[in-house]
Structure formats: C-alpha cells, structure tokens
Amino acid sequence: MNTIPAGDRTLGHAVVLGGGFAGILAAGALAPYAETVTVLDRDEPHVAPQRRRGVPQDRHPHFLGPGGAELIEALLPGVHTALWAAGARRIRTTEDMLLYLSAGGWLPRYRTERFGVACSRSLLDHVLRERVRQFGNVGFRGGCLPTGLLGDARAVTGVTYRDLRDHEGRTPGARGPAETCSLPADLVVDATGRASRASALLAGLGVGEAPLQVVDAGHSYSSRVYRARPGAERSTPLVLIQAETGPGRPSGNGALLPIEDGLWIVTLGGLRGAAVPDSEDDYLGYARHALGTPLLADMLADAEPVTAVLRSRSTFNRRHRFDRVPGWPRGFLVLGDAATALNPVYGQGLTVAARGATALRATLAAGEPVTRRLQRAVARSALLAWEVSTRQDRRFPHTIGPAVGRIDRLAHGYADRVMRAAQSRPAVGARLIDAMFLAAPAVRSVGHPMVALAAALDGGAPHLTTPPLTDRERSVLTGGRR
Ligand SMILES: Cc1cc2nc3c(=O)[nH]c(=O)nc-3n(C[C@H](O)[C@H](O)[C@H](O)COP(=O)(O)OP(=O)(O)OC[C@H]3O[C@@H](n4cnc5c(N)ncnc54)[C@H](O)[C@@H]3O)c2cc1C
C-alpha cells in the first residue's frame, strides 16, 4: 500500500503523542517519510472497535463531513472502501441528509458529488488505525504518559514518558508502578486532544506561552443509541437540527446519525442553562419541545433504546495560538484538538484534524523541515472552522467570549440570508454545505458572488417549513406522523 519510495524517508524516527483521530492521521501522514513512527497513548491500542477512556466523546455522534472524508482518502488510499466494508454509511450531500437550519426552515435534498462518513467513533478510529498499521513501520504503544520533551528551546529531539505497563505489557492504571523512559525522535507531534499538555511540555524547554482564546456557549450534549426502526436499517438519512438564533426561538439542537449494525446514535443538546436531559426521563419530551422541529421526537417515539443517556460538556471552542509563539522549536508540532478544539455541534473537529495532518504530509512531501512555518499552516487550516463555530456561538445570549461587534452582526445577517436562499436554490445550498463541512474555501463557498447575489435577492422568510421526507421515509421513519 505504501507507494512512496524509501529514498524519500527524510526522517529517522517520529513520535506521535496521542493515538486518537489526529494522532492516527499524523502517523499515516508520516509513515511514508519516516523510517519508523511510534504512537504513544495512555490507552491500550485496541485491535477491535472499542470505546476508550481517553476518547470519552466516542459515546456521542461523530459525523465526518465531506471535507474530511476527501482528505482521509488522500492520506490513506483505500480507507473509504475499508469503512464501507466495516459497515460505515456513505452520506451523500444533501440527498441523504435532513438539515434544519438555524435561520429556520429545511434545506432541500439534492445530489452533489460530495459525501461524508457515518459510523461510530470507535469504528472510525479502528478502521483508520488498521489502515495505518499496513504501512508496516508504525507502532502503537499504550500505557504511556508523556512527561517532558528532550532537546532545548531551539529543537525538540525526543520525549520522556512514564511507562505504566507491567512486565507482561498490561497497563495497571495511572497510579501503578511506572518507569520513566526516554525516546529520541527527529519529530514529536502532540495530538493528545483537549487534554493536551503541550504548553507545559514546551515551558519545560523554556519556550514562551502560546496566547489562548476561548469562546464558550455552554453547550451540552446528551446522547443515546437506538436500534433503527424496522426497514430503516440501511436507509436512514442523517438528521441535523441546528439551534435557532432568533429571539424567543427554540435553542435546542439535535442529531441522529445512522451508524453500523443497524443502529442510530442520537444526541440532544442545549445552551448554558437549558434543561438538557441527563437521563431517559424526559429525553423524548426535550426532543419534542426544545427543538425547532419535532421530527426527532417522532422518529424516536417507538424506537428501541439500547444504551443509557450519556452527557458531554466538552464543547467550548479553544485555540492555543502556537503559531504566534516566537522561537518555536524545530521538530515539534501540535495537531487536532490539542491546537484548536471546536464546539462539536458544527461537526468540524475531525475535518480540522485531517487538514492538519494533510499540512504535515505536504511539508514532508516538499522535503521541508518541521518548523513554526508548519504550525502556522496548521493554524490557517483551522481558521475557517474557528470563524464559523465561534461566530455562530457568539450569537447566543450567555456565551462567554468576545462581544459581538458590527462586523459580526453583518456576518450573522448574511449567514441567515444565505440559509434562506439555500432553501430555494440548490446551487446555494451546495455551497452552504461546502462551507459548513469545510469542503471548499469561503471564497468558493458562501463568499462566492453567485451566493452573495442570491442572498441579496432571496433572503426573506424560510421557504421549506416541513421536513423534505419521501413517502417511504415518512412511513418508515415516523410511522406516518410527519
Ligand atoms: C460530544 C462530542 C461530539 C463530537 N462530534 C463530532 C462530529 O460529529 N464531527 C466532528 O468532526 N467532530 C466531532 N467532535 C470533535 C472530535 O471528537 C475531535 O475534534 C477529535 O476527536 C479530535 O481528535 P484528536 O485526535 O485531536 O483528539 P482525541 O480524539 O480526543 O484523541 C486524543 C488522544 O490522546 C490520548 N491522550 C490524551 N491525553 C493523553 C496523555 N496525557 N498521555 C497519553 N495519551 C493521551 C487519548 O487517549 C486519545 O487517544 C465531537 C466532540 C465531542 C466532545
């Protein structure tokens, strides 16, 4: 599978801290260009799809949008085929989607070339990890807690870590006996997610602190897995219900992701102070009354739940401006949520991680060293997602973050008009989806002159106020209720 000749291996040994989505992709980006790659994680690398302590969000829906779906195939050719074979669903935009927009109204369904990936997060990581293993030079090591960086403020030359495994290679847990180990490397990538200690590791080498930016709408997620209603096991569309932004409008959000094994993973969410259900009590009541549409409540009304309700509050947007740290050491890179973590409600985090790994691959392919230049490219690759996510979150009344200014208000008004125009013009809808899921830059999506013109001409009331279901879907998914 690895088609890149060994002569292009400009790195000896590379270490990736964290074997989540960004870490797996970073290892895949590195594999053709390094002699060996070692991925260190606190958790053991599972050989089957399994939930992990280090990825608590794997209990919640994870849709890999079209932008990220394209990138993972470019990084790991053949991975789509492996995902479909493992039971992941291919979600064509917008043919296989029911999207209720924050400006009110539904997006019509039409065919484009783009698609995203729907499966459980554990399956997604598992398939990617197995594909990366096929390079033959990537090792995944569990029970490892990074404690420091080797080198100095000019160049990182490896890591130190506590090895929590016993002499039989089992992980006794973070409080067990631990040996401190050193691992020299030409490149160290931190992909340890929201829990990253990259700033502390860098401080240990005397590198200055990165400015931190936080925008927190206080969103919380409450998720539950259901068995798909009979007849809908392989044909349920992805349902996304955005929180409405108008005064007095319902501010709950929801999603239903059809995944492998004929299951649906459902989430209900709300802003700070919302009565998002913690348990099964009133789960359906919230779905019916707190969202802009009762479609989810109708779909779940007599569906069979197969798990308890699980909550997540890891939703604040936070970025460390590592790209702004003067004197960034060579041979160190921060990727994924460790650099930019986004409100998951917008479904962009996986794509941002894939964009970062793609920037790493491009640097290696160009034969360039890993320096602050690459960290800047990684920050740029997350910029559109940061703008979309934080600008939308700052519309909500109790969001903690910079106040909304005149430019924001213009952007909000424009976004609403684009959403309404998209309800009658598929070409606008396609570009809106491209922006939402980072499949094209803003100038080619919502900033395109055709979109701007449509928004100016056609930004009035929502056009599509009932969900665009087919007759079969209406009967199978809602028992004819909608
Ligand atoms: C509730 C929820 C729902 C989401 N839904 C979506 C969605 O639909 N679409 C989407 O695109 N994004 C979604 N996201 C965002 C997505 O989960 C993240 O963007 C993505 O996981 C980032 O990947 P990562 O590898 O950077 O971090 P993670 O996937 O969190 O991986 C971090 C890894 O580092 C390891 N680790 C952590 N600390 C240490 C340590 N000290 N030592 C060793 N190892 C360590 C962990 O074990 C883990 O393997 C969602 C997030 C949440 C919270």
Side-chain angles (χ1 to χ4, degrees):
M1 287 267 189
N2 176 11
T3 53
I4 300 183
D8 284 331
R9 293 183 195 278
T10 45
L11 293 170
H13 182 219
V15 168
V16 179
L17 309 178
F21 190 80
I24 296 167
L25 288 182
L30 284 160
Y33 297 97
E35 293 298 332
T36 51
V37 181
T38 308
V39 181
L40 302 181
D41 202 289
R42 199 166 41 188
D43 288 350
E44 288 302 326
H46 296 306
V47 288
Q50 222 171 308
R51 289 176 169 170
R52 293 210 284 117
R53 220 184 71 181
V55 187
Q57 71 271 35
D58 64 11
R59 283 95 174 141
H60 300 273
H62 272 75
F63 176 59
L64 175 62
E70 263 175 45
L71 295 176
I72 61 167
E73 182 66 20
L75 285 165
L76 307 172
V79 78
H80 286 165
T81 308
L83 282 162
W84 316 142
R89 287 273 319 278
R90 179 187 168 105
I91 301 289
R92 295 165 300 179
T93 57
T94 58
E95 206 171 354
D96 301 328
M97 286 172 73
L98 292 167
L99 171 57
Y100 185 80
L101 295 159
S102 64
W106 296 87
L107 197 69
R109 294 162 77 179
Y110 44 81
R111 186 161 244 185
T112 71
E113 293 301 304
R114 302 210 195 273
F115 60 87
V117 180
C119 62
S120 67
R121 173 61 197 269
S122 335
L123 183 71
L124 181 64
D125 282 14
H126 171 73
V127 171
L128 265 60
R129 195 186 311 113
E130 291 310 299
R131 175 64 191 86
V132 167
R133 278 191 216 275
Q134 290 172 3
F135 282 105
N137 61 343
V138 179
F140 289 88
R141 202 179 291 177
C144 300
L145 271 182
T147 50
L149 295 173
L150 300 173
D152 56 32
R154 280 165 304 154
V156 169
T157 57
V159 286
T160 56
Y161 65 94
R162 283 202 312 143
D163 190 339
L164 307 174
R165 293 169 303 170
D166 62 19
H167 59 279
E168 285 170 5
R170 287 183 306 241
T171 308
R175 288 175 211 286
E179 192 187 330
T180 296
C181 308
S182 290
L183 197 54
D186 300 313
L187 171 64
V188 176
V189 179
D190 185 321
T192 51
R194 282 184 182 257
S196 167
R197 296 182 57 249
S199 296
L201 296 179
L202 286 166
L205 295 184
V207 177
E209 206 173 324
L212 182 68
Q213 293 171 316
V214 176
V215 174
D216 182 5
H219 254 121
S220 67
Y221 258 59
S222 213
S223 302
R224 188 170 207 196
V225 176
Y226 287 80
R227 197 164 305 291
R229 291 167 66 109
E233 294 83 354
R234 293 292 303 165
S235 60
T236 309
L238 167 69
V239 183
L240 296 174
I241 296 164
Q242 299 183 338
E244 292 192 51
T245 41
R249 302 295 304 157
S251 61
N253 63 282
L256 183 153
L257 187 74
I259 58 171
E260 67 276 13
D261 300 329
L263 298 173
W264 291 344
I265 180 162
V266 175
T267 205
L268 300 177
L271 299 166
R272 181 172 288 110
V276 179
D278 258 326
S279 67
E280 41 262 51
D281 297 343
D282 213 34
Y283 200 70
L284 292 187
Y286 188 88
R288 187 161 301 283
H289 301 296
L291 278 53
T293 160
L295 176 67
L296 270 184
D298 289 342
M299 289 176 73
L300 300 179
D302 42 19
E304 180 196 340
V306 293
T307 65
V309 173
L310 291 160
R311 193 81 180 253
S312 172
R313 291 186 179 81
S314 298
T315 62
F316 54 91
N317 304 281
R318 187 215 54 207
R319 67 175 169 173
H320 294 278
R321 301 305 308 262
F322 293 119
D323 53 307
R324 292 198 178 157
V325 174
W328 185 257
R330 283 165 74 99
F332 188 66
L333 181 68
V334 190
L335 282 186
D337 278 13
T340 302
L342 298 157
N343 186 345
V345 127
Y346 307 106
Q348 298 173 320
L350 298 173
T351 298
V352 164
R355 288 170 72 110
T358 301
L360 169 61
R361 170 73 68 80
T363 293
L364 299 171
E368 289 170 12
V370 170
T371 61
R372 182 159 73 135
R373 194 163 169 204
L374 176 55
Q375 196 65 57
R376 283 193 187 137
V378 168
R380 271 196 308 277
S381 74
L383 191 60
L384 177 59
W386 176 265
E387 290 293 329
V388 168
S389 189
T390 58
R391 202 163 252 145
Q392 187 69 4
D393 275 357
R394 283 163 56 230
R395 297 182 81 163
F396 300 117
H398 304 296
T399 297
I400 298 164
V404 171
R406 203 170 62 88
I407 303 284
D408 297 306
R409 273 189 285 276
L410 287 172
H412 294 156
Y414 181 68
D416 288 350
R417 295 184 75 84
V418 171
M419 280 187 244
R420 293 197 189 110
Q423 292 176 31
S424 59
R425 298 170 194 243
V428 176
R431 288 176 197 265
L432 174 65
I433 290 289
D434 280 357
M436 273 176 66
F437 293 117
L438 311 175
V443 282
R444 284 202 278 120
S445 55
V446 286
H448 191 278
M450 178 274 288
V451 175
L453 185 63
L457 296 175
D458 186 11
H463 296 271
L464 197 52
T465 49
T466 51
L469 293 162
T470 63
D471 289 344
R472 183 177 180 276
E473 285 171 344
R474 194 163 284 115
S475 121
V476 172
L477 297 176
T478 73
R481 286 184 193 85
R482 279 294 106 203

